[in-house]
Amino acid sequence: MTSFEPMKNDLLLRTARGEKVERAPMWIMRQAGRYLPEYHKEKGNHDFFECCRSPEIASNLTIQPVDRFNQTTDLIDAAIIFSDILVIPQAMGMEVVMEEGKGPVFPHPMRTPDEQYKEIMAREVNVKEALEYVYRAITLTRQKLRGRVPLIGFCGAPWTLLCYMVEGGGSKMFFHSKSWIYKYPQESRDLLQKITAICVEYLAEQVVAGAQIIQVFDSWAGELSTQAFDTFSLPYLKQIATDLPKRLAELDRAPVPMIVFAKGAPFSLERLCNSGYNVIGLDWLHDPAEAYKIARQAGKVVQGNADPGILYGNRESTTAVVENMVRGFGHGKQGWIANLGHGITPYATPEALEFYLQEIKRLSTAL
């Protein structure tokens, strides 16, 4: 077992466990990325997935926002490993490429339960071996962080991964995804179950490698009706939350806090509060005070939730949004991890993000 230096800042971990804290911990989805000038320098001529597969590059990219925003005062309270949710479909045998200006593309998506589907369902995935580069990046990052902040591991939710695998990339209509669940419901459930088992093993191996908290991203949850969410997303999210601690126990590891983020699906809040996750991620469709009340009644912590678009605005607008969040989320003293309601979007600047973080720290410390 690899040993790491003691934690110097465990604010996020304490908050995720539900403890009272001195202020709201802060981290940002996509905090390591192309909005940072140093990202482009480190990335060089490597394509995106080459960066993910290089433990050295991935670890350096992971640490960049910690280095940048914690120079004079702590504004980032966690690092999240530089990787992608689509490494799981790659491990399952599907080709994924990152096209400039377009994003991830599957050259050969699964349109129907044909031979490709049968091959993927029959293939035994050695999760430890296929995704070893991620675990090596996690261990290296923990060593480089030297306890400055905790490290977050993550995976995509089964429903979201199915969408990518059958759509071939992002989508506006989700024609193929919905064709699958309504034409081939049993095959859809079988595929979701296979993805779920891989997610559990993948997250467990991330923890073994050094991840101290994990997040499950259900980026396309909002494409489902409540009935469809209850059938094709929620059961598999719950299974991850149930099975991961069991798998960690088998590996002689302690459980870690778990975050779930279902974007675009405000109806899912109470459902997810009845799952095994410690933290419920919120997008900007939630009212802070209302969501906080529901979550706290269930003993859950919330994370979020400003519209990333505030980073395009002026400082007065940012302060107003942060003031509303701090009031709504218990003044940052218990049960709230500050974040955006989704990842940093194109054209946002490091300076705008820095001011957002400064305001959260100022206001959640003062109140």
Side-chain angles (χ1 to χ4, degrees):
M1 183 185 301
T2 306
S3 61
F4 302 108
E5 292 191 29
M7 294 304 301
K8 300 179 178 70
N9 175 356
D10 66 348
L11 180 62
L12 180 128
L13 298 177
R14 288 187 283 124
T15 302
R17 293 193 293 260
E19 298 176 21
K20 293 183 178 180
V21 291
E22 57 273 24
R23 65 167 175 85
M26 302 172 286
W27 74 279
I28 303 295
M29 289 178 276
R30 295 196 194 124
Q31 66 186 26
R34 55 191 174 188
Y35 76 105
L36 295 175
E38 54 267 37
Y39 167 85
H40 299 279
K41 183 177 180 180
E42 177 70 31
K43 181 176 180 290
N45 294 323
H46 301 283
D47 72 27
F48 178 84
F49 285 113
E50 285 178 340
C51 293
C52 293
R53 287 189 287 268
S54 166
E56 182 65 29
I57 295 175
S59 62
N60 289 340
L61 293 173
T62 299
I63 295 171
Q64 283 181 347
V66 179
D67 288 341
R68 171 182 277 266
F69 295 113
N70 290 8
Q71 290 184 20
T72 57
T73 183
D74 289 344
L75 295 179
I76 291 289
D77 296 300
I80 181 167
I81 192 64
F82 184 86
S83 188
D84 194 88
I85 64 172
L86 299 181
V87 297
I88 285 181
Q90 287 177 331
M92 296 174 73
M94 297 193 74
E95 181 185 2
V96 189
V97 296
M98 193 68 71
E99 292 190 1
E100 193 67 33
K102 189 173 182 179
V105 173
F106 288 67
H108 308 289
M110 285 193 297
R111 299 298 196 209
T112 62
D114 56 11
E115 286 304 312
Q116 183 186 17
Y117 169 82
K118 293 173 184 176
E119 289 174 6
I120 285 176
M121 292 301 296
R123 179 181 284 116
E124 290 291 330
V125 180
N126 186 327
V127 180
K128 185 172 183 178
E129 182 179 293
L131 296 168
E132 181 192 15
Y133 61 88
V134 179
Y135 317 135
R136 289 171 55 208
I138 287 171
T139 300
L140 184 58
T141 303
R142 279 291 307 276
Q143 292 168 336
K144 291 181 178 181
L145 282 170
R146 303 183 65 180
R148 285 193 287 165
V149 294
L151 180 60
I152 303 169
F154 69 92
C155 75
W159 160 248
T160 290
L161 295 179
L162 181 148
C163 289
Y164 276 107
M165 292 165 74
V166 304
E167 294 289 345
S171 176
K172 292 182 178 180
M173 290 181 58
F174 290 84
F175 168 76
H176 298 291
S177 305
K178 295 184 180 183
S179 295
W180 261 81
I181 62 174
Y182 294 122
K183 280 185 178 179
Y184 317 115
Q186 187 57 55
E187 289 86 347
S188 296
R189 285 191 287 267
D190 291 344
L191 179 56
L192 289 164
Q193 184 58 57
K194 185 176 183 70
I195 296 170
T196 300
I198 294 172
C199 287
V200 171
E201 190 66 20
Y202 179 46
L203 292 172
E205 291 294 343
Q206 290 186 56
V207 174
V208 170
Q212 295 156 285
I213 180 171
I214 63 92
Q215 175 158 320
V216 179
F217 287 86
D218 206 352
S219 305
W220 301 123
E223 295 302 319
L224 293 169
S225 67
T226 54
Q227 180 185 19
F229 180 82
D230 288 345
T231 303
F232 298 106
S233 178
L234 185 60
Y236 307 98
L237 292 174
K238 284 185 171 182
Q239 185 180 338
I240 292 171
T242 299
D243 288 357
L244 178 57
K246 295 177 183 177
R247 181 61 181 136
L248 288 172
E250 292 173 353
L251 295 169
D252 197 26
R253 295 296 195 279
V256 299
M258 299 179 291
I259 309 168
V260 63
F261 176 57
K263 183 179 179 293
F267 63 82
S268 70
L269 176 57
E270 291 187 62
R271 291 165 164 83
L272 294 172
C273 282
N274 291 319
S275 69
Y277 293 92
N278 308 88
V279 183
I280 314 301
L282 309 174
D283 64 16
W284 62 93
L285 301 179
H286 293 269
D287 175 75
E290 292 177 6
Y292 185 74
K293 181 180 179 181
I294 291 169
R296 296 306 294 156
Q297 286 175 343
K300 302 296 182 180
V301 174
V302 294
Q303 176 178 277
N305 79 321
D307 180 349
I310 68 162
L311 300 182
Y312 302 148
N314 57 36
R315 292 192 165 195
E316 291 76 15
S317 298
T318 298
T319 298
V321 169
V322 173
E323 286 174 341
N324 184 57
M325 286 198 305
V326 171
R327 282 194 303 268
F329 291 135
H331 306 294
K333 303 304 184 186
Q334 186 176 26
W336 175 42
I337 297 170
N339 207 309
L340 292 171
H342 197 220
I344 295 173
T345 47
Y347 312 115
T349 66
E351 293 74 24
L353 177 60
E354 183 173 23
F355 182 73
Y356 174 67
L357 297 170
Q358 288 172 339
E359 288 297 87
I360 293 170
K361 185 169 186 176
R362 178 179 71 85
L363 291 166
S364 70
T365 301
L367 293 175

